């Protein structure tokens, strides 16, 4: 692995808050930034050191030149190398990694490459493949994915508003607005290749190599990731794995069901949520 000449922590807006013997890493997904964790960060910071950051594709990153490379980041491997570099730079090991959506699989890949960096993987709405295939329900047919990519290319801001409403929870207007603004800050020329990377990925083969203990956290009604994916991952991951279901709608429990998510994290990480 080639380390970058300059560190990633500053350009990726990395922030460490809180204190404690253990470190929790919060990694956002497609179109987001670190603000999606604002509802749970204060509680976690009472018990742990907590790292938040923005991926290079995020609109919150001021200097994206070099941080998002359509070639390097055409698969999750490129992001996994970024994550490893960031944790090494900050000298963080044996972390509890909370990866939302695409970041769940990025964490899995990084844990295979560097198991010393991860004590526990918490995979929040994660999926190794979104495209349906024989014997596997990923949630989308190829025609649906083609329509998503076409909409992003032709009217990204219109697609962003629609996706946020469906993906977050149409009944939680404040959270929908929060995520819509995150999406709209992401540049269209970044959104399209990233969407291709996400929606056309197939990282199912990685799961058998994951030995770090995992907890898969899934809402009961997620239009992006069907519940069957959580159970598929549970069966395929080699390490000790459990599934936690949150009774909620949408793909973003950190926004729409943050108290339920904190209760789950409390059971996993061993703290009481008052």
């Amino acid at each position: 692995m080639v380390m970058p000449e300059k560190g990633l922590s500053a350009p990726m807006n990395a922030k460490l808050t809180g204190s404690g013997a253990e470190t929790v890493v919060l990694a956002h997904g497609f179109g987001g930034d670190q603000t999606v964790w604002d509802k749970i960060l204060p509680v976690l910071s009472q018990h742990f050191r907590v790292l938040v950051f923005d991926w290079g594709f995020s609109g919150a990153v001021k200097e994206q030149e070099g941080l998002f490379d359509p070639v390097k980041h055409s698969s999750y491997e490129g992001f996994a190398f970024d994550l490893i570099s960031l944790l090494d730079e900050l000298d963080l090991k044996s972390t509890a990694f909370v990866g939302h959506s695409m970041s769940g699989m990025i964490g899995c890949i990084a844990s295979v490459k560097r198991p010393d960096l991860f004590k526990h993987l918490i995979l929040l709405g994660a999926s190794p493949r979104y495209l349906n295939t024989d014997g596997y329900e990923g949630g989308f047919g190829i025609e649906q994915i083609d329509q998503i990519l076409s909409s992003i290319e032709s009217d990204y801001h219109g697609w962003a508003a629609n996706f946020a409403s469906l993906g977050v929870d149409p009944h939680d207007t404040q959270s929908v607005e929060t995520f819509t603004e995150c999406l709209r800050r992401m540049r269209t020329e970044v959104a399209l290749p990233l969407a291709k990377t996400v929606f056309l990925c197939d990282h199912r083969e990685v799961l058998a190599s994951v030995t770090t203990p995992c907890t898969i956290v899934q809402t009961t009604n997620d239009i992006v990731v069907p519940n069957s994916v959580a159970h598929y991952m549970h069966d395929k991951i080699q390490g000790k794995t459990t599934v936690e279901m949150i009774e909620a709608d949408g793909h973003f429990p950190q926004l729409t069901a943050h108290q339920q998510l904190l209760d789950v994290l409390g059971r996993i990480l061993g703290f009481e949520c008052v």
Side-chain angles (χ1 to χ4, degrees):
M1 171 177 138
V2 178
M3 295 295 289
E5 294 180 11
K6 296 181 180 179
L8 290 174
S9 61
M12 292 176 70
N13 303 324
K15 299 181 183 69
L16 274 167
T17 61
S19 61
E22 297 185 61
T23 300
V24 174
V25 179
L26 302 177
H28 68 81
F30 176 93
D33 60 39
Q34 61 186 262
T35 63
V36 300
W37 305 110
D38 282 356
K39 290 183 179 180
I40 69 170
L41 182 59
V43 174
L44 290 179
S45 297
Q46 294 173 14
H47 304 277
F48 309 98
R49 280 197 307 170
V50 184
L51 172 67
V52 292
F53 64 91
D54 299 316
W55 287 115
F57 59 75
S58 170
V61 171
K62 290 182 171 57
E63 298 293 335
Q64 288 187 321
E65 192 66 36
L67 272 188
F68 179 78
D69 181 336
V71 176
K72 174 184 176 182
H73 297 109
S74 62
S75 81
Y76 289 170
E77 289 239 342
F79 292 104
F81 282 125
D82 289 346
L83 176 61
I84 290 167
S85 296
L86 180 64
L87 296 182
D88 277 341
E89 180 184 339
L90 297 173
D91 195 26
L92 300 177
K93 288 184 171 58
S94 195
T95 67
F97 178 82
V98 183
H100 177 237
S101 199
M102 64 180 286
S103 285
M105 285 307 302
I106 292 169
C108 286
I109 294 168
S111 76
V112 173
K113 297 179 182 298
R114 287 287 303 279
D116 60 304
L117 300 179
F118 304 94
K119 179 180 181 181
H120 199 111
L121 298 175
I122 299 170
L123 311 176
L124 181 59
S127 176
R129 177 184 168 109
Y130 296 90
L131 182 62
N132 299 331
T133 189
D134 291 343
Y136 175 81
E137 180 192 7
F140 296 87
I142 188 61
E143 297 84 2
Q144 292 173 292
I145 290 178
D146 286 344
Q147 183 58 53
I148 289 170
L149 298 177
S150 176
S151 298
I152 291 173
E153 187 170 21
S154 61
D155 180 15
Y156 174 60
H157 280 197
W159 175 85
N162 184 59
F163 177 73
S165 178
L166 294 173
V168 177
D169 180 353
H171 301 103
D172 188 339
T173 54
Q174 184 174 358
S175 293
V176 169
E177 289 173 9
T178 296
F179 186 60
T180 300
E181 288 307 307
C182 283
L183 278 171
R184 286 178 169 170
R185 284 194 293 269
M186 189 166 65
R187 294 182 299 162
T188 306
E189 61 268 30
V190 170
L192 184 59
L194 180 63
K196 291 178 180 177
T197 296
V198 172
F199 286 108
L200 298 175
C201 75
D202 188 353
H203 293 291
R204 290 176 295 170
E205 78 286 347
V206 173
L207 300 175
S209 300
V210 176
T211 57
T212 302
C214 296
T215 303
I216 299 163
V217 182
Q218 178 77 21
T219 63
T220 51
N221 185 24
D222 183 346
I223 71 156
V224 179
V225 180
N227 293 343
S228 58
V229 170
H231 298 293
Y232 176 89
M233 294 176 68
H234 173 267
D235 292 341
K236 298 297 183 181
I237 289 173
Q238 182 177 342
K240 181 181 178 182
T241 307
T242 57
V243 175
E244 292 271 0
M245 301 299 297
I246 293 177
E247 191 75 33
D249 293 333
H251 190 56
F252 293 81
Q254 67 269 55
L255 293 175
T256 62
H258 71 280
Q259 191 57 56
Q260 294 97 308
L261 177 57
L262 282 169
D263 291 341
V264 170
L265 293 176
R267 292 196 297 272
I268 297 168
L269 299 174
F271 68 91
E272 285 195 20
C273 190
V274 180

